[in-house]
Every structure is written in structure tokens, then in C-alpha cells.
Amino acid sequence: MSVMDYSVAHMLAGALMLASLMMLYQKRLYALINIYALQAFLLSLAVAWQAVLQHAPQLYITALIALLFKALLIPFALHHIVIRLRIHREIETVAGTGTGTIMLVGMALVALSMDVMLKAAANTALLEREDLAFALAVLLLGLLMMVTRRNAVSQIIGFLSLENGLILAAAGTKGMPFMVEISIAFSILVAFIVIGLFLFRIRERFDTVDLRALDDFRGERRLTEVSSGRSSCGNEGKTL
Amino acid sequence: MSIAALLCCVALLFVLSVMSATTNRLFNASIPVYAACFVLSLIMLWGGIGHLLTSAADMEMVLPIGLAWTGAHFKLDALAAFFLVIVNLGVAAASFYALGYGRHEEAPHRVLPFYPAFIAAMNLVVLAGDAFTFLFAWEFMSLTSWALVMAHHREKENLHAGYVYIVMASFGTFMLLLAFALLAGPHGHYVFSEMRHNPVLSWRAALVLFLALLGAGSKAGIYPLHVWLPLAHPAAPSHVSGLMSGVMTKVAVYGFIRIVFGLLGGSGENGGMAVLTLGGITAVMGVLYALMQHDLKKLLAFSTVENIGIIFIGLGLALVFKTNGQDAFAALAFTAALFHVFNHSLFKSLLFFGAGAVQTAAQTRDMERLGGLIHRMPQTAFVFLVGCAAISALLPFNGFASEWLTFQAIIQGPVPSHWGLKMLVPASGAMLALAAALAAACFVKVYGIVFLGRPRTEKAKNAVETDRFSLTAMFMLALLCLLAGIFPGFVINVLTPTVREMTGAHMPHHAEGLTLVPVSAVRSSYNGLLVFAFMVFSAGLVALLARRLGGGTPRRAPAWDCGFPLEDPQTQYTAESFAQPIRRVFGRSLFRASERVEMPPPGSSAPARLVQESHDAAWEGIYDRISSRVFCVAERMDRFQFLSIRHYLGIVFLSLILLLGVLALWF
């Protein structure tokens, strides 16, 4: 493998991770969707490059699926949903702390995944190891995004970017069989459709896609049950 | 008979279970099912006895079912053969009894499918030759017996009993699973013969003993793991109660012996002391609980706890002697324990069958509502008396022979060098003596209140004798109790291969099978037949003299009216009256029992009351605390049910980060 081959693969994987970091501080939904589309496009490039390197023609199909579904179809549908829900002008507040802290946490996660993967996969080839480290970083960043966002649409995007990390890892290690790949792609699509439907239902009922509304809805029941549970806690259990 | 034939019988029992499950909507199949169980158990009984009498070689068989690569191993050795006899003798008696008793069953479709499966499972436990088969059969036995306990699930008490039983049974199986995991070792020897050749050492052996005590002990009913037993045994139909008390607890004893004697090859001195102590405590506590109890079947269940204690005293002594290299005495104690296993299975089945007959005749198990049944059910009363005498260790019945042997092991055994044992062995003897005496008091109470005196209720007054099948089964068991008491030497000869297999030594062969000589004829011996002949002779003589000297016809007078010709049966001595002195002696410290008189205030027309309180230390000290802790933790954990999606994701995320962090630091 030439230095060039390695550098290109490394650059594409790194770009994928950069896109994840960019998503972390994006407050506008449109921008978020666009960056997601960019990440998916980078993913298809990275997978295609892996296909070239590994002489594995089935990876071209994976790349094609990534390009069609993730870079085009899903962002297009998300745009459509955002407009239908009339939230395209909303600026999202990120839960808890400010964006600066979240970026710091994101960088720490990247460092952690590098550290773990470079040690854990010490026996594998250099390229695979780097790919795995980036894939883990993308995965963790996607999860971090799901944890910090309140808007349902941005949670979906977090979930989808997490899945991008999985595909990157799978393409890099020649591990996952093609059938598994296909089925993952389709299950993601189905999950996307289901979540999209739910979004509309949530919107219909609560007039918002902010998930806090759902918490508030359950809140009444939660408060009563917790308080009743607390009071009976000290009692002798007579049920046994 | 080969092991394949035995397994065929087990398979037939399973088929029978499935068939009765499918046909129970069409007709009441109780007679064919019980008859088939009777025949199959007789066949297996024959197999077990044949194996013991001919001292045949061990038989093994591997079937390609169960775990892949291992298969299911079955093995018939002397120990398994002995317990096969115990199981199938009890089952044969119970099935025959049920031919008559089963007619009174209101919901046969809830009993019939599980009964053959329960029997098959007990036989499989005994025949199992590897850990997986053993545990599978053990759990199957628990579940089928649970289903039988729940046969009358509309009664609230039974629901509680079933709940406690299934919790304790799963706990026990889990402990046994851990014990077998330790025994299997790092190389995974799951077959018993492999386990035997790869002994575990030091603290692992102690842990295995502890887990076996918890696992098998919770099934057998060791104090304080006995709590499910007095709830669950009475809840089942009476022939099943008899099986659970008389046979299933013995299967648990088999499990303990198999693990500790067979696979572990003995325990250290401390282990033996622990078993001995637990046995002593169980024996005394069991009989004290029994004395306080006025529900006939519950009382019998507590008495089972006592007898399990006696068996474990014998096993503990065998472990102690074996550790000290005194194999002959270990063999004596082990023989005594096995003999008591056999005896208890006989008379406890008999007593439960009698209790079932009383329950169907008088429609209650509450002793305070019975009485005077000796005139209404004379034959049941007779066999019940035999059972009471046998369980109270009275001459010339079998209970005496086995308890006497245990005493001989205690008294004649060599003085141990360990200081703890020096105290513990005589102390266990004292506990055994106390338990035996209290047991006698307990069964005087049972017999006196249930069968003697005047009937306390209308239902007891109108009771009629039970059916022929039940009576035949009870008479056969009573006869066996007598025979085993008169010819103990024969039973001990049959036990020889089992004892030799487990302890490496055996008691001297009893050529004529009459005189029992535990150590040497100079020190002590017991001839059952001689005692029996003397008793028959002297009793006959006394009867003759009384008839001659006392004058012609016997005079009948109202029973127990103490000179006061009051008609009300409430004036009689009650079960509570029997228990009161003993409760006053032991109850204050052991049960925190208290009595006080509540007088109404002056001018009030309310009655004065005698209020009694007693607390069960095992239940309140252990189980209530555990359950309140569990509920407390569960309520704290309840908060996790009501988090938002983001929080759940956060928990997943944090645990992932934590694990990755550990990984990063680890390498």
C-alpha cells in the first residue's frame, strides 16, 4: 500500500469525524441536515476508496447505497419534514451547558477513542486501526449529540450519524458480510420512516417536537408514583 | 434390570403426563393414571431393590439429548439405587392411596397431568449422571411440585404458599448451580465421574459444602431455610403432600449426599461441625414449631423438618468421623442417617395419608375441630397410631432402630481431638434426645386430640371410615414400619454397598438379620424380634390378667369428662392445652411468646380475653428483612422507570464512556 492510498483513506475518515464535530455546535436545523448530507457523502467516498484498496467490488454497492439513501434521500426527506413541521426557522437550545463545553467534551471523546483503539487494535494493520479509531469517535459523537439535543429531528440526525460511524468501521475492517450491510441499511431506512411518522404524531398532539413536552406529559404520573413509593419504602415488606 | 429399562419407565411417565393433559377435558382419568403410576413405580422399585441385593456393578448410559457435546449421562450406582427404592416405594404407596383418595379431588385436571411428571422428575434426579441433567431434573421436580401445590389456587393461603415455594426453590437451584460450577472447575468436567477424579481443594471445597447446604438444604427443609415447607406441603392434595414430605425431601438429602460425599469426597472438620450443628438446631426447632401447630398437615410438615434435622445429625457425624479417619464409625453414622431416611419416608407418608383420610372425612385439618375419630374411623385410627409410635421412636417400630443407631454413633464414637467437637458431639446427642422426647409429646397431642375424646364439631361426629384403597396403602406402610423395626439387620445388610461406596467402610454383616450390633456385642446390641415378642407376650399377659381380675364385661362411660357429666365437648382438653406448657418453657426465649389477659373496663359488657403472641424468629429475622430491603431497593430503582429519553441515552452513553475509560486505563 502506497503512502498516497493510506493518506487518502485517513483524510476521508478524519473528514467524517470533523463533520460530526461540526454537527455538535450547529444550532440551525437546515445547517444540521446539510452537514449530515456532507458526512454521508464523505462516507460514500471513504467506502468507495476502501473498495479500491481492498479490491472488493461489493463495497461499491455499499458506497452507492450510502450515497443514494443517506446523502440524498434522507436529507431531502428531512428538509421536507422540517418545512412541513414549520420549524425550519427555529434555533435550538442545546441542553445543559453551552456549545463550548460540548465541543470540549467532544474533543475529549475523540481523544478517548484514539487512545482506546490504538491500544486495543494494536495487532491490526495501520490503516484499519486508524479507521476504527475514527469510526469509534464518530459513533461517540453521534451518541453525544443524541444526549445533548432536545429536538426530535436533531436526535434523529444524531442517530443517523452514529450509524455512519458503524458503516465506516465495517467497511474498514473487511469484517461485515454484505447481507448484514444491506439489512442494516434497510433497517435504518425503516427506522427513519417510523421515526418520521412519530414526529408528525407528536407534533399533532403537542404542537411541538421539543421532547420536553413528552416529559411534561408523563411528569404528573411520575411525581405521584415517586412520592407514594418513597413513603412506603421504610415499611416492612409483608408481601413475601 | 438395566438402566435403559428404568429410563423407559421414566419416559412412559412423561408420556402419561402428556396424555392425561390432553384427555382431561374428556373424562376423569384419575384411576388409569394412578394405576399406571403404581405399576411403573413398582417396576422401578424392583429395579432398585434388585441392584442393591445383587450388589451389581455401576451402570452408565449416555443419551444424545440435552447439552451439545456432553449429552445426558445417567448412572445407577448403589447410592442412586437406594434412593430409587425410597422414591418408588413412596410413589407406589401414594399412587395406590390415590386410587381411592383421588375420587374426592375437585379439580383432577389440575393434579393428574403433573403427578406423573413429578414422579418422573424425582426419578431423573436420582438417576442423573452429570451436572446438567441433575439440575434440569431438579428444577423440573421443583416446578411440577409447585404446580401441584397450586392445584387449589383459589384459596388465598395456597397462593402465598406457592409464591414462597417458588422463590425458595429457585434460590436453591441457583445455589446448586454455583456449587456444580465450582465442582466442574476451569476445565468444565460436568460428568459426575470426571468431577470425582478432579477434586476441588481448600476454600473452594468449603464453599461447595456451604452452597450444597443452602441448595439441597432449602429443599430438604434445614432451619432457617424451612419456611416454605410448612406452607407448601399442606397446600397440595394429601397424597402429593405425602410425596413431598416423605420423598421429595429425601431426594434433597440425596442431592446433598451426592455432592458432599460423592463428588467432594467429604469435608473438613469445620464443615462436618457446621452440618452437625445445623442438624441439631433443625431437629429441635422443627419439633417445637410442630408442637405449637394445630393444623394437622402443617404439624406433619414441621415434623418433617425435625426428622431432616435427625438425618443431618447422622450425616454430620459421618463427615466428622470420616475426616478423622475413623471409617467404621463414619459408616455407622451414615448407615443411621440412611436408615432414618428410609424410615421417615415410610411413616411420614403413612401419617400424611392418614391426615388426608381425616380431612376428607371431617372436612377440616384444624385439630380443634376434630376428636373422637377412633370410633368413627377405627382402622385409620389404628394405622395412624402405628405411624405416631414409629415417628416418636417407640419400640418396636423402625423409628426407634434408626434413632438408636444415631445415638450409638454419638455415644460409642471415639472422643474427638478437636476441642469444638468434644463439646459439639455430646451436645448434638442432647439435642437429638430433646427432639425425640418433644416429638413423642407432639404425637401424643396429635393422636389424643384428633382420635380420642369426643368429637368437637358436627362434621367430626358424622365422619365415616375411608375407602379400601387408602386403607390398604396405609396398612402396607404400617406393616413395613413394623417389619423394618423388627428386622433392622436386614435393612442394614441391604444398605451395605451404598455405605461402602460413600464412606469406604461398612457396618459388620448381620448374618441372621435379627440382632443389631453397631460396634461390638459386648457394648450394645438390639434385637427387634426379641423386644417385639416380649412386648406381645407381656401385653397379652396384662390383658389376660385384667380381663380375669377386672370382672366380666367392660363398662362404657363418656370420654374425658373428668367426673363432670357436661355434654359440651368444649370442656375437653384441647390441642392448645397440650402446647401451652411447652410454649411457656421454650416459647419465651425462642419465639418471644407472651400471654396476657385483657380485662374489659368496669361497666363494659365486653368479654375478657387471653391474648397470645408469638414471633417466628426465622421469618421475621431473615425473610421479612430481606423482603423489605428488596422492596426498598426496588422502589429506589423505580425512579429509573420515569426518566426522559435523553436521560436514558445519557445513561447508555456514560456507561459506554466508563467502559472505554476502563479499557484505556487497563492496557
Side-chain angles (χ1 to χ4, degrees):
Chain A
M1 187 190 295
S2 71
V3 181
M4 178 62 190
D5 295 345
Y6 169 73
S7 300
V8 171
H10 202 184
M11 185 195 74
L12 286 171
L16 218 66
M17 187 201 75
L18 271 182
S20 275
L21 279 174
M22 280 162 72
M23 275 190 248
L24 270 187
Y25 67 85
Q26 252 350 294
K27 289 179 184 166
R28 288 173 191 281
L29 283 180
Y30 265 170
L32 201 60
I33 295 167
N34 290 342
I35 296 171
Y36 170 71
L38 174 68
Q39 191 186 37
F41 177 66
L42 286 170
L43 175 73
S44 68
L45 283 186
V47 174
W49 186 247
Q50 288 290 344
V52 173
L53 289 186
Q54 298 175 17
H55 309 292
Q58 75 271 25
L59 281 182
Y60 285 116
I61 303 179
T62 309
L64 197 66
I65 290 174
L67 187 69
L68 285 181
F69 281 148
K70 292 182 186 152
L72 298 173
L73 190 62
I74 290 180
F76 178 73
L78 278 175
H79 269 282
H80 186 67
I81 287 175
V82 165
I83 292 171
R84 280 273 305 274
L85 291 173
R86 287 190 221 94
I87 51 173
H88 51 289
R89 288 187 198 287
E90 276 184 21
I91 291 180
E92 199 186 359
T93 50
V94 177
T97 51
T99 34
T101 324
I102 288 176
M103 286 304 291
L104 277 180
V105 173
M107 273 149 43
L109 286 182
V110 172
L112 176 71
S113 53
M114 297 291 156
D115 189 38
V116 168
M117 268 308 165
L118 295 188
K119 280 175 186 166
N123 298 330
T124 52
L126 182 65
L127 179 60
E128 277 182 33
R129 196 163 64 209
E130 296 278 336
D131 248 12
L132 274 179
F134 281 124
L136 183 62
V138 171
L139 199 147
L140 288 180
L141 290 173
L143 203 52
L144 179 66
M145 190 166 141
M146 289 183 79
V147 173
T148 50
R149 297 300 176 112
R150 287 225 169 97
N151 190 307
V153 176
S154 38
Q155 282 205 340
I156 293 171
I157 292 173
F159 174 67
L160 291 169
S161 83
L162 182 154
E163 197 266 339
N164 281 348
L166 282 181
I167 298 288
L168 181 66
T173 55
K174 328 167 186 172
M176 216 188 285
F178 186 59
M179 274 313 290
V180 178
E181 180 109 16
I182 291 284
S183 55
I184 286 183
F186 275 103
S187 59
I188 290 289
L189 199 68
V190 170
F192 175 75
I193 292 167
V194 171
I195 292 171
L197 283 176
F198 263 106
L199 271 183
F200 282 102
R201 300 285 300 171
I202 292 170
R203 166 66 176 226
E204 239 170 63
R205 195 166 284 259
F206 300 109
D207 289 334
T208 175
V209 283
D210 190 329
L211 292 178
R212 268 179 300 183
L214 286 180
D215 292 348
D216 291 344
F217 177 67
R218 296 195 316 171
E220 290 173 10
R221 202 178 51 195
R222 176 179 67 189
L223 282 179
T224 52
E225 287 194 17
V226 165
S227 61
S228 70
R230 186 79 50 75
S231 65
S232 68
C233 195
N235 291 354
E236 296 282 293
K238 292 274 189 318
T239 330
L240 187 74
Chain B
M1 189 190 293
S2 74
I3 191 165
L6 292 172
L7 288 175
C8 279
C9 289
V10 172
L12 280 178
L13 282 171
F14 278 122
V15 171
L16 192 62
S17 160
V18 173
M19 268 169 55
S20 63
T22 47
T23 58
N24 63 28
R25 296 283 167 206
L26 303 178
F27 60 99
N28 183 354
S30 71
I31 288 181
V33 167
Y34 289 128
C37 287
F38 177 67
V39 171
L40 286 172
S41 62
L42 277 190
I43 294 171
M44 286 193 278
L45 177 66
W46 181 244
I49 292 181
H51 193 268
L52 280 179
L53 283 181
T54 55
S55 305
D58 295 355
M59 285 187 281
E60 284 201 57
M61 192 171 180
V62 186
L63 292 183
I65 48 174
L67 275 189
W69 303 295
T70 314
H73 292 249
F74 297 96
K75 189 175 180 189
L76 182 67
D77 54 9
L79 182 68
F82 172 67
F83 278 91
L84 205 63
V85 172
I86 301 274
V87 170
N88 289 302
L89 192 58
V91 168
S95 306
F96 199 78
Y97 172 81
L99 282 175
Y101 180 80
R103 264 179 258 156
H104 307 296
E105 181 61 54
E106 307 127 38
H109 57 280
R110 295 211 191 92
V111 175
L112 289 181
F114 300 112
Y115 184 79
F118 177 47
I119 297 167
M122 288 196 291
N123 278 306
L124 267 190
V125 172
V126 174
L127 288 174
D130 67 69
F132 179 76
T133 315
F134 183 92
L135 284 172
F136 177 79
W138 183 276
E139 188 64 8
F140 200 77
M141 174 177 84
S142 296
L143 289 179
T144 43
S145 57
W146 175 78
L148 288 167
V149 166
M150 297 296 277
H152 302 284
H153 60 93
R154 304 239 184 266
E155 287 162 48
K156 205 171 173 214
E157 214 175 295
N158 291 0
L159 276 181
H160 179 233
Y163 178 63
V164 174
Y165 179 34
I166 200 144
V167 169
M168 293 302 288
S170 349
F171 166 78
T173 311
F174 185 59
M175 293 296 126
L176 285 183
L177 181 75
L178 294 181
F180 279 122
L182 277 174
L183 281 169
H187 304 292
H189 300 296
Y190 289 108
V191 184
F192 285 165
S193 47
E194 285 175 12
M195 272 185 199
R196 223 191 153 124
H197 298 304
N198 297 281
V200 289
L201 298 169
S202 65
W203 62 270
R204 282 208 188 88
L207 196 58
V208 169
L209 176 74
F210 178 66
L211 290 170
L213 263 180
L214 285 181
S218 71
K219 194 70 151 183
I222 285 187
Y223 185 87
L225 299 168
H226 69 281
V227 286
W228 63 272
L229 203 138
L231 298 172
H233 288 187
S238 286
H239 56 297
V240 180
S241 313
L243 275 187
M244 286 177 78
S245 240
V247 176
M248 194 174 72
T249 53
K250 305 305 172 299
V251 176
V253 171
Y254 165 79
F256 182 79
I257 294 176
R258 176 61 79 194
I259 292 175
V260 175
F261 285 85
L263 303 178
L264 208 56
S267 68
E269 215 154 40
N270 293 331
M273 280 164 70
V275 176
L276 194 56
T277 316
L278 272 178
I281 294 175
T282 307
V284 173
M285 290 307 284
V287 73
L288 280 178
Y289 279 116
L291 262 166
M292 316 267 161
Q293 194 54 247
H294 308 315
D295 178 323
L296 185 54
K297 280 170 85 175
K298 273 193 183 166
L299 184 148
L300 291 177
F302 274 122
S303 149
T304 298
V305 174
E306 179 229 336
N307 282 281
I308 289 294
I310 295 175
I311 292 166
F312 272 85
I313 288 178
L315 293 178
L317 284 172
L319 283 174
V320 166
F321 289 138
K322 202 178 171 201
T323 314
N324 290 336
Q326 292 135 345
D327 281 354
F329 287 100
L332 170 60
F334 195 75
T335 308
L338 286 191
F339 195 7
H340 200 71
V341 163
F342 175 69
N343 293 340
H344 183 248
S345 79
L346 290 181
F347 48 64
K348 192 44 67 73
S349 300
L350 168 59
L351 289 172
F352 262 111
F353 296 166
V358 168
Q359 190 183 357
T360 40
Q363 284 152 30
T364 180
R365 307 193 309 237
D366 186 357
M367 288 162 61
E368 309 282 23
R369 304 169 69 77
L370 295 168
L373 290 181
I374 194 168
H375 297 299
R376 283 142 193 98
M377 312 171 73
Q379 299 185 49
T380 309
F382 176 72
V383 285
F384 204 87
L385 182 63
V386 172
C388 287
I391 202 169
S392 313
L394 290 189
L395 288 164
F397 296 105
N398 54 357
F400 174 79
S402 52
E403 290 192 28
W404 183 78
L405 271 186
T406 317
F407 272 119
Q408 294 307 312
I410 292 172
I411 295 167
Q412 303 207 15
V415 177
S417 52
H418 191 284
W419 62 269
L421 279 174
K422 271 183 190 159
M423 289 194 279
L424 194 58
V425 171
S428 66
M431 297 285 247
L432 182 58
L434 181 63
L438 289 173
C442 178
F443 282 93
V444 166
K445 164 182 146 179
V446 171
Y447 200 76
I449 299 299
V450 174
F451 288 99
L452 305 182
R454 282 175 293 172
R456 291 176 175 77
T457 52
E458 275 302 306
K459 279 179 179 163
K461 204 175 203 168
N462 298 330
V464 286
E465 183 60 273
T466 184
D467 56 281
R468 283 197 318 276
F469 285 112
S470 307
L471 279 175
T472 312
M474 289 192 278
F475 267 104
M476 289 314 290
L477 286 174
L479 185 67
L480 281 175
C481 282
L482 182 67
L483 287 179
I486 297 179
F487 304 107
F490 173 72
V491 180
I492 286 167
N493 287 347
V494 173
L495 282 175
T496 304
T498 313
V499 176
R500 198 188 312 123
E501 188 180 79
M502 289 293 128
T503 60
H506 59 92
M507 285 181 62
H509 192 75
H510 296 85
E512 74 276 35
L514 288 177
T515 313
L516 200 55
V517 184
V519 185
S520 70
V522 189
R523 295 172 77 174
S524 65
S525 64
Y526 166 65
N527 187 329
L529 191 60
L530 203 61
V531 171
F532 182 59
F534 172 73
M535 286 174 77
V536 169
F537 174 71
S538 55
L541 197 64
V542 169
L544 200 68
L545 284 177
R547 183 62 61 92
R548 278 285 159 80
L549 302 176
T553 50
R555 186 169 58 91
R556 291 194 86 106
W560 280 20
D561 73 345
C562 302
F564 297 97
L566 285 175
E567 280 304 307
D568 190 2
Q570 295 297 323
T571 53
Q572 296 178 96
Y573 220 59
T574 62
E576 182 54 40
S577 326
F578 262 103
Q580 194 193 33
I582 293 175
R583 199 183 54 237
R584 285 194 174 164
V585 173
F586 294 99
R588 211 154 283 171
S589 45
L590 289 175
F591 300 101
R592 285 192 286 130
S594 63
E595 284 176 17
R596 62 175 189 279
V597 180
E598 279 183 359
M599 293 299 286
S604 159
S605 60
R609 289 176 186 282
L610 179 68
V611 181
Q612 289 175 0
E613 256 183 37
S614 65
H615 299 267
D616 185 345
W619 186 263
E620 286 174 14
I622 301 173
Y623 295 94
D624 269 354
R625 277 192 200 173
I626 290 177
S627 70
S628 70
R629 288 287 179 289
V630 167
F631 277 102
C632 198
V633 170
E635 272 163 17
R636 294 262 159 82
M637 301 285 278
D638 204 29
R639 231 178 289 171
F640 288 97
Q641 296 276 4
F642 300 104
L643 296 179
S644 69
I645 302 167
R646 242 161 33 78
H647 284 111
Y648 286 127
L649 282 174
I651 291 170
V652 171
F653 182 63
L654 280 181
S655 44
L656 186 61
I657 297 295
L658 203 72
L659 290 176
L660 285 176
V662 169
L663 200 64
L665 292 175
W666 196 268
F667 281 99

